[in-house]
Amino acid sequence: MTVEIDVERVDGKAVRLVAWIGDIKSKWIRRPDTGEPYEASRSNVGVQVLDQDTLWISPGDYRDLYRTVNKVFSEDRSKSRPRKKKLQSELQGKLF
């Protein structure tokens, strides 16, 4: 199943994340004490009467979602990234 993710960052670190798995909306936040992500809420936009079955995500899809969420929360985009190798044309321009 495809997952769409919207991330809110503060100082380059993810603080809130909303993942859409089909019609199910899963909200994740960072624990203040440990910094680990956890699922704060889950809702199904397409259903008027919610029960446990309408919010169910298969174990395999949930595992993939959890890995993706952990990866996003572990990223720190405030640090500058190292510059990629220079292109051949850039090097030739300096030599001649």
Side-chain angles (χ1 to χ4, degrees):
M1 184 167 287
T2 60
V3 177
E4 295 179 27
I5 295 179
D6 294 323
V7 182
E8 181 183 330
R9 295 182 186 273
V10 174
D11 296 328
K13 293 184 179 181
V15 232
R16 286 188 196 96
L17 180 141
V18 176
W20 290 88
I21 307 139
D23 288 340
I24 298 174
K25 180 180 181 181
S26 176
K27 293 182 182 180
W28 295 75
I29 60 174
R30 184 185 297 269
R31 287 190 189 275
D33 52 348
T34 62
E36 294 294 317
Y38 74 96
E39 188 174 22
S41 67
R42 189 184 295 182
S43 60
N44 193 330
V45 180
V47 177
Q48 291 182 356
V49 179
L50 293 176
D51 63 356
Q52 203 169 20
D53 292 334
T54 60
L55 299 176
W56 186 78
I57 300 173
S58 71
D61 288 339
Y62 186 80
R63 197 171 329 132
D64 293 342
L65 172 64
Y66 191 76
R67 277 192 219 125
T68 304
V69 167
N70 276 332
K71 183 178 178 182
V72 169
F73 274 90
S74 67
E75 291 176 344
D76 187 0
R77 295 201 174 172
S78 64
K79 299 176 185 174
S80 63
R81 295 183 180 211
R83 188 166 181 220
K84 294 182 180 180
K85 292 182 180 180
K86 293 184 178 184
L87 297 174
Q88 187 71 16
S89 61
E90 289 178 292
L91 292 174
Q92 285 179 352
K94 289 186 178 185
L95 294 175
F96 298 106

